[in-house]
């Protein structure tokens, strides 16, 4: 720095360079976005890390610190107790009459961690298999009813996560095996499913796989649709057997889509709270919720571990997507795609798929609807006696404590429910607006600076929250929010939602902006058209649908988000936490009613946005449309 | 080394015909080009022969094996037809290196007695019938051979994305050649290359055809490419075969106005004419009036009876129509070819005239317009485009424009007066009524 003075021109030269750099709006915006995203993404992470060494009054660490050492850090007292106790401590539990001593790590860490990893792996595997096969059938064969199938196939993703978990319970639970009321199968046919089928790793994995299969379908299907059919035909002509063509040509071509799916599904599955919660599996997220009462610091360690997985996935992804084999499979010239003739199988497979999609897409809605007319939860007596159905859960307009309403008004008259619904709408709209705008800007600026390291950094920062399990992000904002006195405010919800959903918008914007030739804007620059005019009159009109998709996906996801928000507010603030509350209370008719309202409104929103603007969840997730 | 025979082959999607009742005989060792405007059905034809597309009806034989027959229900899959296919966009597998791309097809060979001879060629009927596949070493020898042919030796370890368009093209050729196919199909293989490279590859393909001795079927929309490469051209328009002949025959004896117009660069001059046949003249000459006031006598190269010719054509057309009546109606209708008369000012409107046997179109190739000081037609140079070897001239005669080619280094100033004649006896005479060529002959302009 000292020789700056000896070369007087150098400082002003540097200043000039900075000025030139910033005179391009995309650079200035990129700089601002980079700083902002660093704060919103990194700050909460650091806060969690810090939380693991804080002493929480009334928590185990407060007691434990008295025994172990603590150290002063500035004005604060910090402790390593949470870490040492979690990894090396022991606890004594009572099993029947005998007292058993076990290590803390076994109980609170290794078991849930193993479960989390297993369900994430199974979810990836299952969703890729199911979604991939479905994508193949829809895009490359002469399957029947493709249109219907492809639109209903994504229902499970549009619907709240727990929907299928609840349906699973309603179908398979039985008093003998799981306790509680009998499910539909036990009720109607007297069939009782075994324990492993009803609860634990198996159902959680299946439900997660079905929930995320639309990702795989949209991403893999996008490649299948645009894949140059000649690549496979060239192999066929060279006498390659079908399986070999598939293994050596097709599979490598869809590998990027498979990797993207893993990227998206793994951490989403890991961070899912409601599904393991309903289906009674001990995972990191359910364990976190169980521990946040008296082991807050250690719970934060679980959140840190979840975040680590996010980082690992990000690094693996970068490793695999850079390299010599990196290629685009989508050619501008799309040859005629030859369609595989399934012969008789086309009917068999169509029927099978129609039945499964009905079960995963339509059945939940029907079951929820029925549930709201049952006199008591699980009381299916209407099957023999139609008059036992009741509309009290909807229509009761006064405060009555009898007939199982516990003083709640019917759903249609229940101010609490509608307030929460309005709250959800408000949060969703705000999140969508902010996340959509920022994401679009990130997509635009990054596409304008393709080679710049800073742009790549901003892009990664914008994407990172996606790879962070929802619960971990929720925890981070919970810690930040409690420290800043924002707990249970809309502001905190919107903040968390925005950060978590920017990736949706930035991905979809980046995907489409990358396809936009820079010359379009350069033509306008030469005519000296100002930046805002170029944006509003050229870029935005051209990219209208993909930009709207960037707003749509955060909106939809926000409507049905529970995991991210449940730690951040009281139960009456938004509809999903309200639903959780009724569920805990055992008022299943109410929770089913809310589920029904949510699902139906999401489907209606989706339908109209799609019809009016052509935007779709597909393009938001990143699947190519023809 | 293989004959290909198509009989009455049709491919349609609903009522849209991509290929309509195509009969085609491709001889052994031929280099046949499928030529025609974009969308006329060339690719579809090629893909049907290769087995990538299933014809709606018809019969396809390669050598003496029936590959497809709609009536017998035979359809041999593409991988069993032992053909090579070069795709328009190369279709190189991006996930494999150049070496792997070429080796892939070789590793699939599974036939008794296969081996690689000293020249590095795959031979399929060796003595050792227990040997079904090629060894790694044999594969390497084949790759050495083909990579030497197309000069890609230095790139074998690269991925396709690391190659230029021309190099990718060569790799695609090598991949197709490697298993020594008896027929080689190529779908516009040069259309993605720049002009210079295209010329170079063209001559290499020609050499390749000689050295491999395989039958080549080559799709192109570029008439120059077809003319220069082919032993025979199959010219298609709107799914229908227009003419199947040797290039020079197509050039000098086109069957109809479309063929005459499509082949040749610069394009043929069309001139509308009216006239009657001299009944008395033994050379069956026709007195014509054309170019707003010029008169002349057309002398056919061999005698023609116009009346008889028209009757014959009408009969053929009726037969064709009768045959087609039984088929699904063609939604992509065959319209009469709209030949272009070059004019300085386009006429305000063209009233549709009722055409008779006495309406003709004269077709004159640019090289048959001879400039000479004592020419009978006077015109004015409208534009001149010298290439060094020759000059393409547009000459204005009244409101009409005629294209001529003058060889040698001459300078033509725009606006100068020139005189010209129509020389030779390869002036073409078409019927304006049905668009078919009646005959070639000499056009003597009255002074
Ligand atoms: N799979 C298909 N479905 C419907 N029409 C098709 C299909 N493939 C090709 N065609 C139509 O058939 C015609 C011939 O196509 P093609 O053989 O590819 O033409 P080209 O001569 O340019 O190679 C085109 O008009 C095309 O639109
Ligand atoms: Mg074509």
């Amino acid at each position: 720095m000292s020789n700056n003075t000896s070369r007087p021109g150098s400082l002003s030269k540097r200043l000039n360079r900075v000025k030139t750099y910033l005179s391009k709006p995309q650079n200035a915006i990129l700089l601002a976005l980079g700083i902002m995203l660093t704060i919103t993404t990194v700050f909460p992470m650091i806060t969690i890390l810090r939380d693991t060494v804080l002493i929480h009054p009334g928590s185990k660490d407060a007691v434990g610190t008295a025994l172990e050492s603590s150290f002063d850090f500035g004005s604060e007292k910090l402790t390593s107790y949470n870490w040492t106790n979690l990894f090396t401590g022991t606890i004594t539990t009572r099993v029947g009459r005998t007292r058993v001593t076990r290590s803390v790590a076994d109980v609170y860490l290794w078991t849930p961690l193993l479960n989390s990893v297993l369900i994430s792996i199974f979810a990836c595997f299952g969703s890729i298999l199911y979604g991939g096969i479905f994508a193949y059938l829809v895009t490359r064969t002469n399957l029947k009813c493709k249109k219907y199938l492809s639109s209903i196939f994504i229902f499970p993703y549009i619907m709240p996560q727990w929907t299928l978990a609840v349906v699973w319970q309603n179908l398979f639970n039985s008093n003998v095996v799981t306790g509680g009321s009998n499910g539909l199968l036990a009720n109607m046919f007297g069939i009782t499913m075994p324990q492993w089928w009803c609860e634990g790793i198996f159902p959680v994995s299946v439900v997660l796989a079905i929930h995320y299969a639309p990702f795989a379908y949209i991403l893999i299907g996008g490649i299948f649709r645009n894949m140059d059919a000649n690549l496979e035909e060239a192999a066929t002509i060279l006498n390659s057997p079908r399986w070999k063509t598939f293994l050596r040509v097709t599979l490598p071509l869809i590998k990027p889509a498979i990797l993207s799916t893993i990227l998206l599904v793994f951490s989403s599955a890991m961070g899912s709270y409601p599904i393991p919660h309903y289906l009674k599996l001990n995972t990191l997220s359910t364990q976190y919720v169980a521990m946040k009462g008296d082991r807050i610091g250690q719970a934060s360690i679980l959140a840190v571990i979840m975040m680590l997985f996010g980082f690992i996935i990000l690094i693996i992804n970068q490793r695999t997507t850079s390299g010599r084999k990196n290629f685009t499979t989508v050619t501008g010239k799309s040859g005629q795609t030859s369609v595989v003739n399934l012969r008789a199988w086309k009917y068999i497979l169509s029927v099978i798929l129609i039945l499964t999609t009905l079960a995963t897409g339509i059945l939940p809605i029907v079951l929820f609807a029925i549930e709201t007319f049952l006199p008591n939860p699980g009381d299916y007596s209407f099957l023999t006696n139609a008059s036992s159905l009741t509309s009290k859960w909807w229509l009761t307009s006064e405060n009555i404590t009898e007939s199982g309403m516990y003083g709640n008004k019917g759903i249609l008259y229940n101010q609490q429910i509608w307030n929460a619904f309005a709250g959800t709408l408000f949060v969703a709209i705000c999140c969508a607006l902010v996340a959509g705008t920022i994401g679009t800007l990130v997509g635009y600026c990054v596409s304008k600076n393709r080679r710049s390291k800073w742009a790549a950094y901003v892009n990664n920062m914008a994407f990172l929250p996606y790879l962070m399990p929802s619960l971990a992000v929720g925890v981070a904002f919970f810690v930040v929010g409690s420290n800043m006195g924002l707990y249970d405010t809309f502001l905190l919800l919107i903040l968390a939602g925005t950060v978590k959903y920017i990736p949706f918008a930035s991905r979809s914007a980046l995907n489409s902006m990358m396809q936009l030739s820079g010359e379009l804007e350069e033509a306008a620059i030469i005519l000296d058209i100002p930046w805002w005019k170029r944006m509003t009159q050229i870029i935005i009109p051209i990219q209208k649908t993909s930009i709207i998709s960037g707003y749509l996906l955060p909106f939809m996801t926000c409507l049905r988000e529970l995991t991210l928000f449940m730690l951040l507010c009281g139960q009456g603030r938004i509809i999903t936490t309200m639903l959780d509350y009724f569920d805990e209370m055992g008022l299943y008719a109410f929770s089913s009613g809310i589920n029904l309202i949510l699902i139906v409104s999401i489907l209606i929103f989706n339908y109209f946005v799609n019809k009016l603007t052509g935007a779709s969840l597909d393009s938001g997730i990143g699947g190519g449309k023809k | 080394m293989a004959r290909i025979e198509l009989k009455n082959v049709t491919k349609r999607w609903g009522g849209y015909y991509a290929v309509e009742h195509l009969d085609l005989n491709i001889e052994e060792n031929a280099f046949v080009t499928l030529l025609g405007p974009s969308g006329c059905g060339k690719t579809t034809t090629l893909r049907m022969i290769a087995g990538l597309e299933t014809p709606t009806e018809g019969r396809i034989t390669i050598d003496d094996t029936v590959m497809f027959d709609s009536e017998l229900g035979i359809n041999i899959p593409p991988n069993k037809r032992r053909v090579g296919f070069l795709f328009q966009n190369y279709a190189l597998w991006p996930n494999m290196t150049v070496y792997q791309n070429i080796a892939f097809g070789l590793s699939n060979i599974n036939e008794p007695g296969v081996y690689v001879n000293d020249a590095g060629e795959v031979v399929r009927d060796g003595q050792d019938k227990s040997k079904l596949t090629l060894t790694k070493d044999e594969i390497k020898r084949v790759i050495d051979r083909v990579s030497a042919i197309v000069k890609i030796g230095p790139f074998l370890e690269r991925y396709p994305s690391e190659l230029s368009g021309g190099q990718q093209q060569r790799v695609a050729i090598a991949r197709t050649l490697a298993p020594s196919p008896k027929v080689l199909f190529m779908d516009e293989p040069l259309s993605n290359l720049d002009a210079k490279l295209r010329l170079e590859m063209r001559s290499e393909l020609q050499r390749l055809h000689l050295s491999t001795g395989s039958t080549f079927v080559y799709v192109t929309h570029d008439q120059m490419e077809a003319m220069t490469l082919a032993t025979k051209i199959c010219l298609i328009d709107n799914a229908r075969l227009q003419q199947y002949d040797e290039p020079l025959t197509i050039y000098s004896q086109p069957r109809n106005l479309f063929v005459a117009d499509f082949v040749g660069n610069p394009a043929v001059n069309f001139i509308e004419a009216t006239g009657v046949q001299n009944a008395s003249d033994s050379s069956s000459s026709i007195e014509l009036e054309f170019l707003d006031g010029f008169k002349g006598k057309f002398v056919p190269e061999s005698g023609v009876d116009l009346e008889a010719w028209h009757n014959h054509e009408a009969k053929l057309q009726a037969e064709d129509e009768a045959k087609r009546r039984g088929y699904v109606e063609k939604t992509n209708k065959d319209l009469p070819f709209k030949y272009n008369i070059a004019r300085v000012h386009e006429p305000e409107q063209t009233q549709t005239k009722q055409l008779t046997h006495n309406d003709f179109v004269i077709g004159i190739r640019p090289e048959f317009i001879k400039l000479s000081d004592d020419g009978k037609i006077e015109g004015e140079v409208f534009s001149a485009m010298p290439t060094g070897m020759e000059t393409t001239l547009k000459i204005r005669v009244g409101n009409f424009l005629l294209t001529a080619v003058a060889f040698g280094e001459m300078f033509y100033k725009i606006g100068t007066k020139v005189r010209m004649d129509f020389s030779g006896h390869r002036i073409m005479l078409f019927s304006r009524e049905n668009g078919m060529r009646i005959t070639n002959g000499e056009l003597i302009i009255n002074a």
Side-chain angles (χ1 to χ4, degrees), chain B residues 272-285:
Chain B
E272 286 172 351
T274 53
V276 286
Q277 189 159 33
N278 291 324
S280 56
D281 192 348
S282 63
S283 65
S284 56
S285 67

Side-chain angles (χ1 to χ4, degrees), chain A residues 474-529:
Chain A
V475 172
F477 278 90
F478 166 67
V479 176
V480 173
S482 338
N483 290 354
M484 296 169 49
L486 288 175
Y487 178 76
D488 198 21
T489 58
F490 280 127
L491 182 63
L492 185 62
L493 295 178
I494 293 168
L495 216 59
T498 303
V499 170
K500 179 77 183 147
Y501 300 139
I502 284 176
F504 286 130
S506 71
R507 267 175 82 92
S508 111
L510 188 60
N511 271 350
S512 58
M513 296 279 183
M514 280 299 209
Q515 279 153 28
L516 195 69
S517 154
E519 288 155 18
L520 279 178
E521 209 187 333
E522 282 158 9
I525 293 177
I526 287 177
L527 295 174
D528 197 25
I529 294 169

Side-chain angles (χ1 to χ4, degrees), chain A residues 289-497:
Chain A
V289 175
M291 281 162 76
K292 81 174 178 4
D294 60 349
R295 287 174 178 266
I296 303 182
Q298 295 185 345
S300 292
I301 297 179
L302 296 191
V304 168
I305 290 171
M306 278 194 259
M307 287 195 167
L308 274 182
F309 274 96
F311 278 115
I312 293 171
I313 295 274
L314 183 70
I315 290 166
I316 292 177
N317 177 54
Q318 300 235 303
R319 278 279 165 83
T320 48
T321 52
S322 59
R324 289 175 74 203
K325 280 203 212 175
N326 190 13
F327 46 79
T328 49
T329 43
V330 182
T331 55
K333 259 186 209 146
S334 151
Q336 299 102 325
T337 2
S338 47
V339 166
V340 175
N341 190 349
L342 296 174
R343 297 167 207 282
W345 279 99
K346 79 178 166 195
Y347 298 105
I348 302 170
L349 286 173
S350 304
V351 169
I352 293 176
L353 283 176
I354 287 176
L355 290 180
T356 35
T357 47
L358 278 179
T360 57
I362 302 294
L363 182 71
I365 303 176
V366 175
L367 284 184
F368 282 138
I370 292 176
E371 190 87 10
T372 60
F373 293 104
L374 298 184
N376 295 300
D379 177 355
Y380 293 99
S381 56
F382 76 94
L383 292 171
T384 46
N385 172 21
S387 66
S388 76
L389 289 180
T390 170
S391 60
K392 67 177 178 183
W393 306 104
W394 291 96
L395 298 177
T396 306
S397 57
E398 64 222 298
N399 262 337
I400 43 172
T401 35
E402 59 267 27
S403 62
M405 307 273 296
Y406 297 99
N408 291 295
K409 289 187 185 172
I411 298 170
L412 292 182
Y413 296 95
N414 195 316
Q415 203 52 44
Q416 248 186 318
I417 292 178
W418 293 110
N419 276 345
F421 193 63
T424 291
L425 272 183
F426 177 68
V427 172
I429 290 171
C430 293
C431 280
L433 286 179
V434 184
T437 308
I438 294 178
T440 306
L441 282 176
V442 169
Y444 169 78
C445 296
V446 171
S447 76
K448 287 266 137 194
N449 290 292
R450 288 176 204 196
R451 304 224 175 285
S452 128
K453 284 228 170 71
W454 176 247
Y457 168 79
V458 174
N459 194 29
N460 273 338
M461 267 303 135
F463 191 57
L464 196 57
Y466 200 107
L467 300 178
M468 294 295 142
S470 289
L471 192 88
V473 178
V475 172
F477 278 90
F478 166 67
V479 176
V480 173
S482 338
N483 290 354
M484 296 169 49
L486 288 175
Y487 178 76
D488 198 21
T489 58
F490 280 127
L491 182 63
L492 185 62
L493 295 178
I494 293 168
L495 216 59

Side-chain angles (χ1 to χ4, degrees), chain B residues 99-312:
Chain B
Y99 190 94
Q100 289 166 333
N101 260 285
I102 305 174
F104 188 80
L106 295 169
S107 70
N108 289 328
I109 297 178
N110 192 345
E111 284 168 65
V114 72
Y115 70 97
V116 173
N117 66 14
D118 292 337
E121 289 158 343
V122 178
V123 186
R124 287 163 212 269
D125 44 10
Q127 302 300 316
D128 182 6
K129 295 294 177 205
S130 63
K131 187 166 178 299
L132 291 173
T133 54
L134 297 179
T135 62
K136 279 228 154 53
D137 179 57
E138 283 176 315
I139 289 179
K140 182 166 181 315
R141 272 165 49 215
V142 177
I143 295 180
D144 284 345
R145 172 180 68 95
V146 292
S147 57
I149 295 178
V150 294
K151 305 189 192 88
I152 49 164
F155 315 127
L156 288 178
E157 290 314 313
R158 292 207 197 162
Y159 285 96
S161 58
E162 300 165 344
L163 298 176
S164 75
Q167 290 162 346
Q168 289 184 14
Q169 158 80 20
R170 286 157 194 272
V171 174
I173 294 180
R175 184 178 73 180
T176 316
L177 286 181
S180 305
K182 48 187 182 169
V183 200
L184 234 143
F185 298 119
M186 289 171 269
D187 190 357
E188 311 210 10
L190 306 186
S191 64
N192 293 343
L193 304 182
D194 61 60
K196 190 148 177 279
L197 202 52
R198 200 179 313 163
L199 232 73
E200 213 170 283
M201 290 306 298
R202 239 187 242 168
S203 77
E204 283 189 25
L205 283 179
Q206 208 165 32
R207 277 196 315 109
L208 215 59
H209 176 236
L210 277 181
S211 62
T212 57
S214 303
T215 306
F216 279 34
V217 185
Y218 185 102
V219 163
T220 179
H221 65 262
D222 179 349
Q223 56 94 19
M224 186 74 97
E225 208 163 279
M227 292 293 290
T228 49
L229 285 175
T231 55
K232 257 184 157 184
I233 292 178
C234 169
L235 186 49
I236 307 172
D237 183 38
N238 195 32
R240 302 200 75 185
L241 176 65
Q242 302 295 318
Q243 190 163 2
Y244 179 50
D245 266 316
E246 282 161 20
L248 291 181
T249 313
I250 296 230
Y251 185 74
S252 57
Q253 296 165 42
R255 245 189 48 194
N256 54 32
L257 287 168
F258 168 79
V259 178
D261 183 60
F262 197 84
V263 176
N265 185 25
V268 66
N269 294 293
F270 286 129
I271 300 169
E272 286 172 351
T274 53
V276 286
Q277 189 159 33
N278 291 324
S280 56
D281 192 348
S282 63
S283 65
S284 56
S285 67
I286 304 161
E287 295 293 339
L288 295 175
E289 247 193 83
F290 50 88
L291 290 178
D292 287 343
F294 284 91
K295 285 198 169 66
K297 187 165 83 171
F298 185 89
V299 186
E301 53 189 353
S302 55
V304 163
D305 179 352
L306 271 186
E307 228 20 71
W309 182 87
H310 271 288
N311 288 340
H312 181 65

